[in-house]
Amino acid sequence: MSCPCHSSSGAAPSSEMAGSVVTETPAATRSRAGLLIDSHSHAIEPASTPLSVAQSVLMSVTESDWAAVAQRSTSTGDEGCFGLHPWRAHTAAAGWEDRLTLILERHPSAWVGEIGLDKAARTAETKKCEFAAQKSVFEAQLRIAHHLGRPVSVHCVRAVGTVYNLLELLAKAGAAPPVVAMHSYTGAPEFIDRFLKLGAVDVYFGFSAAINLVDQRRRENLQACLSRVPLDRLLVESDLLDATRVDDAMVAITEACAELRGLPFEAVAAATTDNCRRALVASVDS
């Protein structure tokens, strides 16, 4: 499986990228990571070193990932997510909606993810953005999530207005998923207020070191977003393929969020863990 959400190296951000990250011993990092739930992970391959995070929400990108996600989530106690990423939406094979519904029914607490829209993406096959295919597949997955009462993890690049308008339309029709997690959110901070007012859907905002701490512009946007995201709607995530880098990355983004919010690390860790557990329960209770 390849993860289109971060660099192909899967590298965790450097201390310069992370800004507020302090140098810690491996034991200290593991201890802090143990307070956290990774709300968006691609580390589905067996790790040589066990993860320290309390739990991971494991994403799929293509249909070919679903079996590996199911196997790992079953063996580790992590939560699996099944869906089609916007970068691969144009490759969706006939009957994919029925197969997605079936595997979600077999895993009653699973999320739908990673799904979404990406106007910056250019496919390897056509060398252009297949936005019409993305939108069609995204809408279908949102409806499946509503039908089964599952949370969704949403990838959104240069399409925040389109995502918002679609969710608003579905919410008004009573057809929205119960929970939407905006993954590694880099959209305009002003849209956060609008998402939070949707009412019929609980929208959470996730942030990662791999995406939100890569440069000063992203860090400034993170700070602006954190000023608008209520603490009870905040998530932290790794968005990494390489399991050996997850603990460091999770500590890095939590440390940054704590600094930018003016809160202790432990307070942000407790809040984001509670938030993710509440979102996980949403699928079980639906």
Side-chain angles (χ1 to χ4, degrees):
M1 182 196 75
S2 62
C3 173
C5 305
H6 55 83
S7 67
S8 59
S9 66
S14 67
S15 58
E16 289 80 12
M17 293 176 183
S20 66
V21 179
V22 297
T23 301
E24 294 183 324
T25 66
T29 298
R30 289 195 298 270
S31 177
R32 285 184 142 197
L35 302 174
L36 305 170
I37 294 180
D38 184 351
S39 66
H40 190 104
S41 172
H42 291 276
I44 64 173
E45 298 302 324
S48 57
T49 302
L51 294 176
S52 299
V53 291
Q55 192 174 19
S56 298
V57 184
L58 303 171
M59 299 291 146
S60 55
V61 173
T62 67
E63 187 172 348
S64 61
D65 297 333
W66 295 353
V69 168
Q71 190 280 328
R72 182 156 178 82
S73 62
T74 300
S75 64
T76 62
D78 292 321
E79 190 55 76
C81 301
F82 305 101
L84 298 178
H85 192 284
W87 281 29
R88 307 306 300 162
H90 65 291
T91 68
W96 70 267
E97 290 141 299
D98 291 337
R99 293 189 295 275
L100 177 58
T101 300
L102 181 61
I103 196 167
L104 287 166
E105 288 174 341
R106 289 175 176 168
H107 298 268
S109 63
W111 293 16
V112 181
E114 177 177 357
I115 68 175
L117 298 175
D118 190 331
K119 286 185 177 179
R122 301 293 182 268
T123 75
E125 296 83 3
T126 67
K127 312 300 182 187
K128 64 181 182 179
C129 180
E130 299 291 347
F131 195 69
Q134 289 184 26
K135 194 164 183 288
S136 175
V137 169
F138 182 45
E139 290 179 3
Q141 292 181 104
L142 288 174
R143 289 189 168 88
I144 290 170
H146 165 71
H147 175 68
L148 297 177
R150 305 301 177 85
V152 298
S153 184
V154 175
H155 171 114
C156 179
V157 176
R158 299 182 187 174
V160 65
T162 306
V163 170
Y164 171 79
N165 290 337
L166 180 54
L167 288 175
E168 182 184 41
L169 184 66
L170 291 174
K172 287 180 177 178
V179 171
V180 172
M182 298 297 291
H183 140 64
S184 288
Y185 183 77
T186 57
E190 294 77 15
F191 262 99
I192 291 172
D193 299 335
R194 299 177 67 182
F195 278 114
L196 292 172
K197 292 176 182 177
L198 282 173
V201 53
D202 290 337
V203 181
Y204 293 79
F205 296 86
F207 301 99
S208 68
I211 300 298
N212 301 103
L213 296 179
V214 294
D215 55 33
Q216 186 60 28
R217 179 181 64 84
R218 288 279 178 88
R219 185 179 173 85
E220 289 173 355
N221 188 69
L222 171 62
Q223 183 169 16
C225 288
L226 288 173
S227 71
R228 293 173 179 266
V229 176
L231 192 58
D232 65 357
R233 295 297 181 89
L234 178 63
L235 299 172
V236 287
E237 57 182 68
S238 71
D239 192 27
L240 292 177
L241 279 165
D242 186 350
T244 66
R245 300 180 183 272
V246 166
D247 289 346
D248 286 338
M250 288 294 293
V251 170
I253 188 59
T254 308
E255 189 75 52
C257 288
E259 179 191 358
L260 295 171
R261 289 291 296 254
L263 294 170
F265 178 95
E266 292 76 11
V268 173
T272 56
T273 295
D274 287 347
N275 296 343
C276 197
R277 284 180 174 149
R278 189 164 60 250
L280 287 166
V281 169
S283 60
V284 177
D285 288 347
S286 59

